[in-house]
Amino acid sequence: MRSKKTHLVCQHLEKISRSALVNSQEILRKFLKGRHGIYALYKKNHLHYVGLAKNLRGRLHGHLRDRHANNWDRFSVYLTIESDHIRELEALAIRIASPKENRQIGKLKKSQNLKKLFRKMYQQKQRAEMAELFGDENVDTIDSGALSDIAEGRKPVLSGYFTKGQRIKWSYKGKVYRAYIKKSGAIRFRNKIFTSPSSAAKFITKHAADGWFCWKFERAPGDWVPLHELRK
């Protein structure tokens, strides 16, 4: 059975003259009284202010007398079914449109700001390009799979397993490969950074591999065991 889709905005009314609040208030009362949602005030079709209200009719009437009273001549309203997200919707509208009279920028409390991460990844990209240009083999680069994980805010899967750096190794087709797990859980192998043991293993085999069983760490001096022992 197909699930029924829900919508945030159920009705809207755009660019209506403020005179309607007086001359057509009986009609607007039916639409707006006790209804919650986002509204916008305009002056000669230029956005003046964005706000939210649990009673849109009451809020708009209030703006006929407050500090905005002489600065708008039209309004729009967007009625929402649920009120859980209207504050976030208001913040989004303010951040995008930057209305002149909104004194505070909209706050997206649970949204990750990617600028710092973007800057870090861009700097790593530049270092990798410099390393390739000048033949410097001691510069870390990030594997493409790790880029996706980092961009989506995922932590390295080994995060929290080790309190300090840890050497790991893997014997594959008669050759021993050695890597290093940083305190963060990221794996450094041949100057590349991986967020999971499987992605580091795939870099070697060129096909999917379960890195938890491939790579071994030194549990005690001389006692090398597969990483999957950590999950027991």
Side-chain angles (χ1 to χ4, degrees), residues 111-156:
S111 177
Q112 179 188 13
N113 188 337
L114 293 174
K115 183 178 285 187
K116 184 177 180 180
L117 182 57
F118 180 85
R119 181 184 291 112
K120 180 179 180 181
M121 293 168 65
Y122 184 77
Q123 290 171 342
Q124 290 173 327
K125 177 177 178 291
Q126 287 183 313
R127 287 199 297 268
E129 291 173 348
M130 290 286 287
E132 183 178 356
L133 182 63
F134 295 106
D136 185 355
E137 297 181 355
N138 296 315
V139 177
D140 287 352
T141 59
I142 297 181
D143 173 68
S144 59
L147 284 174
S148 292
D149 289 344
I150 292 172
E152 294 176 12
R154 299 190 190 120
K155 292 182 178 180

Side-chain angles (χ1 to χ4, degrees), residues 75-86:
F75 68 92
S76 294
V77 290
Y78 302 89
L79 304 163
T80 58
I81 297 175
E82 298 178 0
S83 61
D84 293 349
H85 300 291
I86 60 172

Side-chain angles (χ1 to χ4, degrees), residues 157-172:
V157 297
L158 290 170
S159 174
Y161 280 102
F162 299 102
T163 57
K164 60 181 181 179
Q166 177 73 45
R167 294 178 301 155
I168 56 175
K169 66 180 181 179
W170 177 26
S171 296
Y172 179 69

Side-chain angles (χ1 to χ4, degrees), residues 7 15 38 40 53 58-59 62-63 96 100 103 105 128 142 146 153-155 161 169-170 174 176 189 194 220 224:
H7 303 280
K15 302 292 183 68
I38 303 296
R59 180 61 58 82
H63 286 316
I96 292 173
K100 182 174 65 175
R103 296 174 176 176
I105 188 171
I142 297 181
R154 299 190 190 120
K155 292 182 178 180
Y161 280 102
K169 66 180 181 179
W170 177 26
V176 178
F189 175 67
F194 300 87
W224 291 84

Side-chain angles (χ1 to χ4, degrees), residues 4-194:
K4 185 178 180 180
K5 294 183 178 180
T6 59
H7 303 280
L8 177 61
V9 179
C10 61
Q11 292 176 314
H12 63 277
L13 189 63
E14 295 179 310
K15 302 292 183 68
I16 302 301
S17 171
R18 66 180 279 165
S19 65
L21 290 170
V22 177
N23 300 330
S24 303
Q25 58 180 305
E26 297 83 2
I27 299 174
L28 289 177
R29 184 185 293 113
K30 294 179 180 180
F31 294 150
L32 305 180
K33 186 177 181 181
R35 300 290 299 278
H36 49 248
I38 303 296
Y39 66 92
L41 306 180
Y42 298 86
K43 179 72 171 181
K44 296 181 179 179
N45 286 322
H46 294 291
L47 183 63
H48 172 74
Y49 184 79
V50 171
L52 65 82
K54 292 183 178 180
N55 184 340
L56 285 165
R57 178 177 174 274
R59 180 61 58 82
L60 289 171
H61 271 277
H63 286 316
L64 293 173
R65 302 180 297 275
D66 64 11
R67 67 183 179 90
H68 301 290
N70 298 319
N71 295 312
W72 63 283
D73 54 26
R74 291 189 178 274
F75 68 92
S76 294
V77 290
Y78 302 89
L79 304 163
T80 58
I81 297 175
E82 298 178 0
S83 61
D84 293 349
H85 300 291
I86 60 172
R87 188 167 295 279
E88 189 172 11
L89 182 61
E90 177 204 31
L92 188 60
I94 293 172
R95 295 177 78 94
I96 292 173
S98 299
K100 182 174 65 175
E101 288 300 312
N102 282 89
R103 296 174 176 176
Q104 295 183 346
I105 188 171
K107 295 181 180 180
L108 303 174
K109 294 183 178 180
K110 295 185 179 181
S111 177
Q112 179 188 13
N113 188 337
L114 293 174
K115 183 178 285 187
K116 184 177 180 180
L117 182 57
F118 180 85
R119 181 184 291 112
K120 180 179 180 181
M121 293 168 65
Y122 184 77
Q123 290 171 342
Q124 290 173 327
K125 177 177 178 291
Q126 287 183 313
R127 287 199 297 268
E129 291 173 348
M130 290 286 287
E132 183 178 356
L133 182 63
F134 295 106
D136 185 355
E137 297 181 355
N138 296 315
V139 177
D140 287 352
T141 59
I142 297 181
D143 173 68
S144 59
L147 284 174
S148 292
D149 289 344
I150 292 172
E152 294 176 12
R154 299 190 190 120
K155 292 182 178 180
V157 297
L158 290 170
S159 174
Y161 280 102
F162 299 102
T163 57
K164 60 181 181 179
Q166 177 73 45
R167 294 178 301 155
I168 56 175
K169 66 180 181 179
W170 177 26
S171 296
Y172 179 69
K173 292 187 175 181
K175 186 175 180 179
V176 178
Y177 296 89
R178 301 182 187 277
Y180 184 78
I181 302 175
K182 296 184 176 185
K183 185 178 178 179
S184 66
I187 298 172
R188 184 177 187 269
F189 175 67
R190 291 186 177 176
N191 300 318
K192 285 187 175 292
I193 300 298
F194 300 87

